[in-house]
Every structure is written in C-alpha cells, then in structure tokens.
Amino acid sequence: MRTAVLSDIHANLEAFEAVLSHAKTREVDDYVSLGDVVGYGASPNECIEILRSISCLSLLGNHDAAVLDIPINMNQDGRKVINWTREHLSRASLAYLLQMEDVIHRGKVSYCHSNPYRPRNWYYVSEKTYITSSFARSKAKILFVGHTHVPLAITRRNFFCVYLRSPEHATVVPIADRNRQIFNSGSIGQPRDGDPRASYLIYDSLNSRIEFYRISYNIGRAAEKILQAGLPEVFAQRLFSGL
C-alpha cells in the first residue's frame, strides 16, 4: 500500500493540485490528510471538494477547529482569514470539517495533526518535550504528524532520537525494523523551512520506506487569489520565501 500523507493544505489550490498530479505519477493507492485544509489561503471550498472526491481520510487541524468555533489561540491576521473562511464555506464544506477526527489509527500506524495524546492542545512535535511525550504516550510504531509546516523524520533509539530535518526532494527514509519513528510531511500550502515548494510524503508499507517530495507550483497565482479576496497580504508574500 502506498499512502500519500498530506498536511497543512491551507486553502492553497494551486499547491494542492500540483501535489496530487505528482502523487498520481507515483502510483499512490490512498490518501490521508493531517489537517488544516483551511486557513491562510483563498480556496477552501475547492480544496475540500478535492479531498471529498478522492475519499481522503481527514484529521482536524487547529485552523479547521477555529472555523468550527472551537477556541484556538490565533493572531489577528490569522483570525481574519478564519472569519472570512467561515463566511465563504459551503454547507458541504462545513459538513466535511465537522466529520474530521482528532487521531486515526491503522494497526501500528497513527495519524494526527499535532500530537497523539492531547491533540487539541496543538503541541508542536518538533520540540524535545513533545517528541518524548509522543513516543511515551502513544503505542504507535509509526506516527505521522503535521502542524509545524516543516518536514521531519525522527527515529527513536533507546532513549535517544536521531533527526533528519528538512529532507530534500526524493529523499527516502527506511522504516526501522524495531525502532519507533515519527514523520512530519511538512506543509503543502504554507511551507516554513525556507523552501517554497509544496511538501508531502508517501508511506510505502510494502517496501517499508518513506518518500519525501517537494513540488513546484504556480505561487504567483495562489498569492494573487489571496490578495483578490482581501486577505492579509503577509499570507501571500510568505509563499514566495517559504517562511
């Protein structure tokens, strides 16, 4: 089974379509979205419709939760986009957000947006405390997370962890035979590791490996749509730098 793990699409249709086009060339069998399909970008309905069309399992992210009026700490610009998104969402899109789960378990593999033990506290599993707690308070051998917008691979060896930060395009990481691992697929719609290309990964369970990919897309068009919608300019500008 080859599963495309998607995260932090953030209503960026251009980036999302580019990732799906690439995934089709990699013979993907199914899809899992780790949350934050909305927020920042100007195409929330279009992105949700695509997720629905590919029967994608979807998890709740903090921006998705904010649209549903779940209390979330967010800055003023972020809140403006949430309010705009809430006003523009179709009934079908809202219903899609309402059915999102906090954590999904598939055998020894778990998927979540932030962390597996307190998913709605929105911890960043890139800090040592939350990495350690995620291993200690989860039974998953492989854990997929998002939220940080930075791709990451972590392998636990006894009480130590080995990091592979910001894997490059087409980086392949073997699944450990015994050790537990955490993988972050990065962000499709709002990368924050200095690389503006959309980021996602493929989990190949048959060949026991993770494939990280970075995909170019029409950033100018995505940014233009943000400005045309009257959303904060900062969310258009940051697309070009990936920060």
Side-chain angles (χ1 to χ4, degrees), residues 137-170:
R137 302 178 69 175
S138 168
K139 295 181 180 180
K141 183 179 183 299
I142 302 172
L143 174 64
F144 291 100
V145 300
H147 194 42
T148 68
H149 295 215
V150 176
L152 177 67
I154 306 169
T155 299
R156 186 183 186 186
R157 296 178 179 173
N158 298 321
F159 295 103
F160 300 95
C161 295
V162 177
Y163 299 83
L164 175 61
R165 297 186 183 277
S166 297
E168 297 179 356
H169 175 68

Side-chain angles (χ1 to χ4, degrees), residues 13-27:
L13 180 63
E14 287 69 30
F16 191 21
E17 288 182 331
V19 163
L20 291 181
S21 293
H22 182 268
K24 288 179 181 178
T25 70
R26 305 305 302 168
E27 300 181 346

